Amino acid sequence: MTTSYELSHLGALEAESVHIFREVAATFEHPVLLFSGGKDSVVMLHLAAKAFWPAPLPFPVMHVDTGHNFDEVLAFRDHTVRRLGVRLVVSSVQDDIDAGRVVEQPGAGRNRLQTTALLRAIGANGFDAVFGGARRDEEKARAKERVFSFRDEFGQWDPRAQRPELWSLYNGGHHKGEHIRVFPLSNWTELDIWQYILDEGIELPSLYYAHRREVVQRDGMLLAHTRFLALQDGEKPYEALVRFRTVGDATCTGCVESAAVTPEAVVAEVAATRVTERGATRADDRISEAGMEDRKKEGYF
């Protein structure tokens, strides 16, 4: 009589992500994990902690700060790094604006300006592998990514120069000055993320659940009325019951009307939706069909 052991769907995804973290720790000298306090980076950090438990994380976490963050997310970020005892590196877009390295366009979000801050921090700290929380289901350009995404000495991504990953074998070879972006959540979906959050009891910033706040209707999206959002002619803020599916620059990250106040309710809501969170709530992805791919070629996440 033989006994077979079969992982669940989420168990298989978790095992794959844990393997990726351990592979990077064994291959690279100076990895870093991008951590903004958003749900994908929270799950990624949770998986990393599992991968090396009971030892502490063998790498720091980094936040590329636009300066236009939601207060709830920054508070959660700081609470999490204190709880886990990890080192936080913050690279500020405002520093680049003040130094004249980038120019802020009036009325535009700062997401695209993050590229300079990210590449500056990678170079200054000598990071040779950078964990990101991108998933292939989010957006077409991200669907092209390998798990190990090679970046040249300028931090740029060339989709034609990516390496095959047959049988989940990863090639981390690179020269000095080059680095690898690593995506442990590549094969997860938004629904997988939320089911895992539910199963693992993972804490998230409060704005991921339904709450009342002032919003503004703009370009078919609901934007939070914050100190960072300049009202346009005819816009009038009003209060609505909403939650955020993703978080980023507060000037271009939208919310959705929702009554989901628990992970169970969010799972049911996400299971019924037919639009990805970036497609529904990220104004910076609506620049053009190739907007994200163009930014990735410049060195964006």
Side-chain angles (χ1 to χ4, degrees):
M1 182 177 180
T2 60
T3 301
S4 62
Y5 179 74
E6 186 174 341
L7 286 173
S8 67
H9 172 63
L10 286 182
L13 288 173
E14 180 188 73
E16 178 186 53
S17 298
V18 165
H19 167 67
I20 292 167
F21 278 113
R22 291 173 177 168
E23 187 78 6
V24 169
T27 305
F28 295 86
E29 294 184 0
H30 301 293
V32 67
L33 185 148
L34 293 176
F35 181 68
S36 64
K39 71 180 188 309
D40 296 311
S41 68
V42 171
V43 167
M44 188 169 60
L45 184 57
H46 179 86
L47 288 163
K50 270 195 165 187
F52 302 105
W53 187 90
L57 281 183
F59 43 75
V61 301
M62 178 168 69
H63 182 206
V64 182
D65 183 2
T66 66
H68 288 170
N69 298 286
F70 292 96
D71 294 334
E72 302 96 320
V73 178
L74 287 181
F76 179 86
R77 179 201 71 183
D78 294 341
H79 162 73
T80 301
V81 297
R82 284 195 302 268
R83 176 174 60 84
L84 295 177
V86 297
R87 180 167 71 91
L88 173 66
V89 177
V90 177
S91 185
S92 171
V93 169
Q94 187 63 53
D95 289 346
D96 290 321
I97 294 172
D98 294 342
R101 289 185 288 263
V102 296
V103 178
E104 185 174 18
Q105 300 297 322
R110 290 184 172 183
N111 273 354
R112 188 159 193 162
L113 303 183
Q114 287 178 294
T115 299
T116 299
L118 172 64
L119 296 179
R120 175 171 52 81
I122 290 173
N125 291 277
F127 296 133
D128 53 3
V130 182
F131 293 106
R135 309 187 321 268
R136 290 182 175 131
D137 77 317
E138 290 182 278
E139 198 274 337
K140 287 180 285 188
R142 286 182 166 173
K144 296 180 180 181
E145 284 277 25
R146 302 288 197 265
V147 174
F148 275 35
S149 179
F150 174 77
R151 303 300 170 104
D152 64 20
E153 64 271 27
F154 303 107
Q156 296 176 329
W157 175 68
D158 181 354
R160 297 170 298 179
Q162 300 306 302
R163 299 156 178 176
E165 294 179 340
L166 304 175
W167 306 290
S168 297
L169 296 175
Y170 306 117
N171 182 353
H174 64 284
H175 297 294
K176 185 176 178 60
E178 301 169 342
H179 69 276
I180 305 290
R181 307 281 173 88
V182 184
F183 301 106
L185 304 181
S186 284
N187 294 323
W188 296 59
T189 66
E190 183 185 10
L191 183 58
D192 293 331
I193 292 291
W194 274 103
Q195 287 178 325
Y196 191 72
I197 289 167
L198 172 62
D199 290 354
E200 294 285 304
I202 298 173
E203 184 183 358
L204 290 180
S206 59
L207 49 64
Y208 276 107
Y209 301 105
H211 57 287
R212 302 201 73 86
R213 73 161 61 224
E214 280 199 335
V215 297
V216 173
Q217 182 85 34
R218 182 181 297 176
D219 297 329
M221 292 173 49
L222 292 178
L223 297 178
H225 183 218
T226 67
R227 61 187 180 278
F228 308 118
L229 188 71
L231 294 179
Q232 298 178 358
D233 291 343
E235 289 182 339
K236 292 185 178 179
Y238 64 94
E239 192 175 89
L241 183 64
V242 298
R243 73 174 191 87
F244 288 82
R245 291 176 66 184
T246 182
V247 297
D249 188 308
T251 65
C252 61
T253 303
C255 47
V256 294
E257 293 188 272
S258 172
V261 295
T262 64
E264 293 89 345
V266 175
V267 166
E269 186 176 274
V270 171
T273 190
R274 292 296 177 266
V275 182
T276 68
E277 68 264 46
R278 292 194 73 92
T281 64
R282 292 300 287 267
D284 56 322
D285 286 349
R286 301 184 179 188
I287 303 167
S288 70
E289 282 292 312
M292 173 63 80
E293 183 161 333
D294 291 341
R295 281 181 289 165
K296 288 174 73 64
K297 290 177 179 178
E298 296 169 0
Y300 191 69
F301 307 131

